[in-house]
Amino acid sequence: MNPSLIEQLQLGANGLPYQVPIHPNLVHLTLGLFIVAIGFDIVGVLFPLERSVFKLLAIPATRSNFFDVGWYNMLAAAVVTFFTVAAGFYEIMLAQPLADVKSAWGLEAMETMLWHGVGGVILLLLIVGMTVWRGFQRYAWNRDRARQVQWTYLLAGLGIFALMFAHGTLGAQLAAEFGVHISADRLLEIGQNPNLLLK
Amino acid sequence: MFEYLPPLNDHNLPYPDTVHPIVVHFVIAMVLFAVLCDVIGYFTRNVRLYEVSWWNLCFATVSIFIAVIFGQVEAGLAEPYTAAEPTLNLHTLIGWTLSGVIAAITGWRYILRVRDPKTLPAPFLGVGVLLLGLVFFQVYLGDLLVWVYGLHTVPVVEASREGVFQ
């Protein structure tokens, strides 16, 4: 965004109208819920192998409950990710990254921001698509089967993990390397001492 | 002894990026979702959601110990400047406390579930809400360490090595 446009707003040292960014906090929910949803579906599919382990640990476990976790966690991930992406776009529009550095992946700030923005929309579509796919498996196709999910769905989930790793690393680089929305980094850039100003 | 350890990068870490903020996904999201499922399950009498809550709590309990281990490693390498120290100390204290609290709540839930998986006493819901408060406060402190004080970010590590904070 054009710096003179950003100056039209009354912003804090971090370049936001509030103390800490919202997007990274919603990211905890998106990633946690999605990854655990796929994880528990894998536990459900492999249940015959695990039965003796749960018995040994004296934890009562029913196969269908793991598929419940897989479904409800995925549904929650889809709902929350709309807010994650919305908050992300708000905060990326106010970003003023360090211009003279390259990330550990050899990208400059603008490239990193563009890939992270596009990646976020693609991930939202994929998560919603996975939720719809999962819903069909639960309520239509595999309704009366002991095994609720298909291997292709789980493999797609693992593929999305890889995409999430790359996407998340870009986001981490925007913060920890380009200093986006980090008060201390932005104070250092204008020659101030955070140790004196952030008491 | 130190020559056997991997060298530290420009984040002052022996590996590319901080790991603690990734592991805490699985504590924050799972605790929040477990409490949400309990509340919805309690008021709609959907007992399936109690099971969803239980397994999420189990996962959170395993995760928080991993989160604390990485948290200690990365706090030890953070070299906080004076202004950041009180927040890091409080975050460390509450982090260890939460590991005990979450494990105890999961243990309690285990007993309740073994006795009767289809009912949930109201006090458990109350404790869940208190746990949410503690988790939110802990997340806020962690946010301050990253987004206000910039610990482990390249500009802060660089400034620290150049002695800017002295």
Side-chain angles (χ1 to χ4, degrees):
Chain A
M1 190 66 75
N2 183 338
S4 61
L5 289 177
I6 292 181
E7 277 163 23
Q8 292 173 353
L9 301 168
Q10 298 287 319
L11 302 172
N14 62 357
L16 291 171
Y18 37 81
Q19 190 187 19
V20 290
I22 294 168
H23 168 75
N25 288 299
L26 294 175
V27 167
H28 289 309
L29 305 180
T30 292
L31 293 180
L33 289 166
F34 183 90
I35 293 169
V36 167
I38 297 292
F40 272 92
D41 273 342
I42 293 175
V43 172
V45 167
L46 300 178
F47 188 67
L49 303 175
E50 298 145 1
R51 202 166 281 160
S52 55
V53 179
F54 285 117
K55 201 165 181 189
L56 184 75
L57 296 172
I59 301 176
T62 310
R63 193 175 195 182
S64 63
N65 291 144
F66 294 118
F67 295 124
D68 290 340
V69 180
W71 160 243
Y72 285 109
N73 279 44
M74 185 60 76
L75 183 64
V79 172
V80 87
T81 303
F82 283 92
F83 297 95
T84 310
V85 172
F89 272 94
Y90 177 77
E91 289 169 357
I92 213 167
M93 280 193 279
L94 295 177
Q96 291 176 295
L98 300 176
D100 53 351
V101 289
K102 274 196 174 178
S103 72
W105 286 3
L107 297 174
E108 288 179 324
M110 198 63 204
E111 294 172 294
T112 308
M113 292 205 301
L114 288 172
W115 279 117
H116 192 69
V118 172
V121 175
I122 291 173
L123 276 172
L124 171 63
L125 287 175
L126 288 172
I127 293 170
V128 171
M130 288 289 279
T131 309
V132 173
W133 187 2
R134 187 68 179 76
F136 272 104
Q137 294 176 82
R138 182 181 176 86
Y139 292 108
W141 307 331
N142 302 338
R143 205 181 166 142
D144 304 317
R145 288 194 203 155
R147 216 192 91 184
Q148 201 175 81
V149 296
Q150 302 156 244
W151 272 111
T152 44
Y153 169 82
L154 298 178
L155 286 176
L158 295 179
I160 294 172
F161 285 5
L163 189 58
M164 280 175 166
F165 171 76
H167 184 77
T169 302
L170 290 176
Q173 288 167 348
L174 282 176
E177 292 175 25
F178 295 109
V180 171
H181 297 316
I182 295 181
S183 309
D185 293 359
R186 290 170 52 86
L187 289 171
L188 285 167
E189 198 196 356
I190 55 171
Q192 304 282 345
N193 185 349
N195 202 18
L196 301 175
L197 289 168
L198 297 176
K199 280 230 181 312
Chain B
M1 189 197 114
F2 287 105
E3 66 266 23
Y4 298 113
L5 296 173
L8 300 178
N9 65 8
D10 55 357
H11 296 268
N12 215 43
L13 291 169
Y15 39 78
D17 294 299
T18 45
V19 172
H20 173 77
I22 299 174
V23 181
V24 296
H25 294 335
F26 304 108
V27 183
I28 301 167
M30 276 52 256
V31 167
L32 258 57
F33 194 58
V35 175
L36 181 73
C37 284
D38 276 345
V39 170
I40 297 177
Y42 189 83
F43 289 105
T44 63
R45 293 171 207 283
N46 181 353
V47 294
R48 246 175 225 280
L49 289 176
Y50 291 159
E51 287 292 301
V52 176
S53 166
W54 150 255
W55 288 113
N56 273 292
L57 266 183
C58 268
F59 201 85
T61 305
V62 175
S63 304
I64 194 165
F65 288 95
I66 303 170
V68 166
I69 292 167
F70 276 101
Q72 279 301 160
V73 170
E74 290 170 9
L77 292 171
E79 295 181 356
Y81 43 96
T82 329
E85 270 173 17
T87 310
L88 183 57
N89 289 342
L90 188 55
H91 187 70
T92 306
L93 183 68
I94 297 181
W96 280 98
T97 307
L98 264 175
S99 67
V101 168
I102 293 177
I105 290 177
T106 308
W108 181 18
R109 182 57 176 263
Y110 173 82
I111 297 167
L112 292 173
R113 181 174 174 266
V114 167
R115 284 187 186 159
D116 179 8
K118 293 191 193 314
T119 57
L120 194 67
F124 191 89
L125 282 187
V127 168
V129 173
L130 290 178
L131 176 62
L132 278 194
L134 200 55
V135 169
F136 280 133
F137 184 56
Q138 176 72 343
V139 170
Y140 173 67
L141 294 175
D143 274 347
L144 292 182
L145 293 174
V146 174
W147 300 100
V148 173
Y149 299 114
L151 300 186
H152 286 296
T153 69
V154 174
V156 164
V157 170
E158 201 176 77
S160 172
R161 287 176 185 170
E162 286 167 3
V164 172
F165 299 124
Q166 302 297 309

